[in-house]
Amino acid sequence: MDNNETNNPYTQTVEVTPQAAQTDNAPQTAPADITPQPVPASELPPEALRTLPLEEARVPEPKSYEKLLCFLSLGLYVFGPTASGIPMYIVESMNLQSDVSSPIFSVLSSFGGVTYIAAWVLMIIARVKYKKSVFAKVLMWVYIGLLVAAIIAVIILVATCINALNNCNCSGMG
Amino acid sequence: MKANILNNYINSLHFPFYSTIVISSILLGVIIACIIMYREGLKRTSIIYTAFLTFVCIMVCGLSLQIWLTGDPRRLAFTGAGGALGLLIGAFSSIFIHRDHEKEMMASWVVTAPLMYGLAKTACHISGCCVGIPYHGKWAVVYESDHISRFPVQLSESLLFTLIFLIGLFMLLISGKPLLTSRVVIVISVIAKFSMDYLRDGHYLAKSPLSQNQILALICGVIALGLVEIMNNILGKKQVKGESKIYHG
């Protein structure tokens, strides 16, 4: 028991003289075992990292999915409408019976719609997660430009139809 | 022969206005949803991305469902149920992408949906699709295509759904309870759509208790309520987790 107490650094008694206690050179009572161990920079919270020197604050960057998201979005944007539009055109030109062609058109149109929406969703995720990504920004403006062009095309088509109908002398149309 | 809407005679010439009115109605609805979201305190970037995604989803789903139902891509038209489904997909995806005022974002789109539908119905009235049952009373309309006096069901739907939008908007702004507002607007809209379908000629001719439109309205309503509840549960769990962390931490 006595041996343990003498070996235990927490129970070691140090004689302190009144003079020594008043001065700054007082003997250290804290044991060497509980001194804080150095923590690797990767385990430190971000608040602590800001106070560290630059060399110590270097943490391995998380893997970026920016390019993967953008390429996937672009692929779906191009592949979806193409993969549904071309077969639709072929089926239509074959003049199949409506019982045969209707399910094909239904599946193809749904596929085209889902891939188009997925392309938009992936582009927006890329824009939100990687704000400084130039690729995602370019994709966004391309998609918006094509969307606006499609709307303008529909409006022009409608205006052309109205004009054509107004100029038509057929009975019941004038 | 010119069209004279005031005399309730609708000429076939007005058909090309259909797509313009539908696109304009959706765009107006998107703008109003953006204003509501801005007022509810959402970030500007969240609003812009949500607006684009939801607009795209509405257009794509509205057109795709029409092709799915008719099986004919040449009959290009827009289905209200598809538009509603697209709106839900767009809004719900945006909620999980941005994680910014989720309940308010959902409520903004749910409240605006009846306005988009109501305004788009004026296109049906002018073009002569989705016509009402034969009717000879006040406000009856006659289309050039068949010369039958009909009930103006499209205009009635326009007025009813605009009223539902106003009720939802005032409820959201005054009560400040986005989830309750979403639930109320969904239930009222489904009931309105289901009831008004009995005044449509398609339902009248089919002579079946439930039409395709009514089934689609019920499916959309169930999906919408399900999504609102899922969102509420996810957000509730997230809040409880956050609170317990603070309490123990």
Side-chain angles (χ1 to χ4, degrees):
Chain A
M1 187 73 181
D2 288 338
N3 193 25
N4 283 342
E5 279 179 1
T6 50
N7 287 337
N8 191 349
Y10 294 99
T11 56
Q12 275 181 351
T13 51
V14 178
E15 283 182 15
V16 181
T17 58
Q19 289 84 4
Q22 284 170 2
T23 59
D24 289 335
N25 297 327
Q28 291 281 326
T29 52
D33 290 359
I34 58 164
T35 48
Q37 294 293 319
V39 180
S42 58
E43 290 176 17
L44 286 171
E47 296 83 28
L49 281 173
R50 284 191 207 111
T51 60
L52 284 175
L54 206 65
E55 286 173 8
E56 288 179 41
R58 273 185 196 146
V59 184
E61 283 182 13
K63 200 178 176 186
S64 174
Y65 293 101
E66 173 211 334
K67 281 187 180 171
L68 178 73
L69 281 170
C70 291
F71 275 117
L72 207 60
S73 169
L74 186 63
L76 287 170
Y77 195 88
V78 176
F79 171 74
T82 314
S84 60
I86 293 171
M88 272 167 105
Y89 179 75
I90 294 167
V91 171
E92 203 181 340
S93 60
M94 284 163 76
N95 287 325
L96 294 170
Q97 283 187 339
S98 63
D99 296 347
V100 183
S101 63
S102 292
I104 300 169
F105 285 138
S106 302
V107 172
L108 288 173
S109 68
S110 307
F111 176 74
V114 168
T115 47
Y116 187 75
I117 290 171
W120 271 87
V121 169
L122 290 176
M123 181 273 290
I124 289 172
I125 291 172
R127 280 291 290 145
V128 171
K129 276 190 94 176
Y130 310 101
K131 288 190 176 84
K132 289 178 182 173
S133 165
V134 180
F135 193 178
K137 200 179 269 187
V138 169
L139 273 187
M140 184 187 79
W141 285 112
V142 168
Y143 290 4
I144 291 172
L146 288 172
L147 183 72
V148 172
I151 293 169
I152 291 169
V154 169
I155 292 167
I156 289 170
L157 190 74
V158 167
T160 315
C161 284
I162 294 168
N163 195 27
L165 286 165
N166 280 335
N167 293 333
C168 181
N169 291 322
C170 312
S171 58
M173 287 286 183
Chain B
M1 188 165 59
K2 292 284 175 192
N4 195 345
I5 301 170
L6 291 174
N7 290 345
N8 304 330
Y9 187 84
I10 316 289
N11 196 298
S12 303
L13 185 65
H14 286 270
F15 184 78
F17 285 110
Y18 180 86
S19 53
T20 315
I21 294 173
V22 169
I23 292 172
S24 308
S25 319
I26 294 165
L27 279 175
L28 188 69
V30 169
I31 290 165
I32 290 171
C34 290
I35 293 168
I36 298 171
M37 283 192 285
Y38 184 73
R39 198 195 163 277
E40 295 291 322
L42 273 92
K43 286 181 209 160
R44 209 170 281 182
T45 48
S46 307
I47 295 171
I48 292 167
Y49 292 138
T50 307
F52 272 112
L53 182 62
T54 312
F55 177 74
V56 166
C57 289
I58 292 170
M59 295 305 294
V60 169
C61 291
L63 295 171
S64 295
L65 192 70
Q66 174 68 21
I67 298 173
W68 178 276
L69 294 173
T70 58
D72 187 1
R74 282 167 300 185
R75 284 178 65 189
L76 205 61
F78 193 85
T79 313
L85 209 63
L87 183 135
L88 289 170
I89 292 168
F92 204 66
S93 310
S94 299
I95 283 166
F96 285 96
I97 292 170
H98 302 289
R99 290 293 181 124
D100 178 19
H101 292 74
E102 295 94 342
K103 292 174 188 173
E104 287 80 7
M105 191 188 272
M106 188 71 171
S108 307
W109 289 105
V110 170
V111 163
T112 327
L115 180 72
M116 293 186 204
Y117 182 77
L119 293 177
K121 272 286 144 195
T122 53
C124 299
H125 175 75
I126 293 170
S127 70
C129 67
C130 317
V131 290
I133 53 172
Y135 166 78
H136 297 282
K138 209 175 179 185
W139 305 107
V141 290
V142 178
Y143 288 96
E144 190 190 30
S145 53
D146 57 5
H147 296 280
I148 298 171
S149 180
R150 293 185 181 280
F151 181 76
V153 67
Q154 308 100 317
L155 279 187
S156 311
E157 281 189 80
S158 284
L159 290 173
L160 187 62
F161 279 91
T162 308
L163 190 68
I164 293 170
F165 160 70
L166 291 174
I167 291 168
L169 186 66
F170 280 113
M171 209 176 150
L172 182 68
L173 297 179
I174 292 166
S175 75
K177 291 178 179 170
L179 277 179
L180 179 72
T181 309
S182 302
R183 288 185 191 120
V184 169
V185 170
I186 291 165
V187 170
I188 298 176
S189 301
V190 171
I191 292 170
K193 172 80 181 154
F194 193 89
S195 315
M196 291 303 282
D197 203 73
Y198 284 110
L199 296 171
R200 275 200 191 180
D201 197 46
H203 190 280
Y204 177 74
L205 291 174
K207 300 202 185 297
S208 61
L210 278 179
S211 69
Q212 194 183 51
N213 281 327
Q214 287 174 323
I215 294 165
L216 282 171
L218 287 175
I219 292 169
C220 279
V222 169
I223 292 171
L225 282 175
L227 289 178
V228 170
E229 293 311 316
I230 288 168
M231 194 190 70
N232 191 24
N233 283 340
I234 292 169
L235 293 177
K237 276 179 189 169
K238 199 178 83 177
Q239 278 175 0
V240 169
K241 224 175 174 179
E243 279 167 16
S244 65
K245 204 175 175 182
I246 291 161
Y247 180 75
H248 293 298

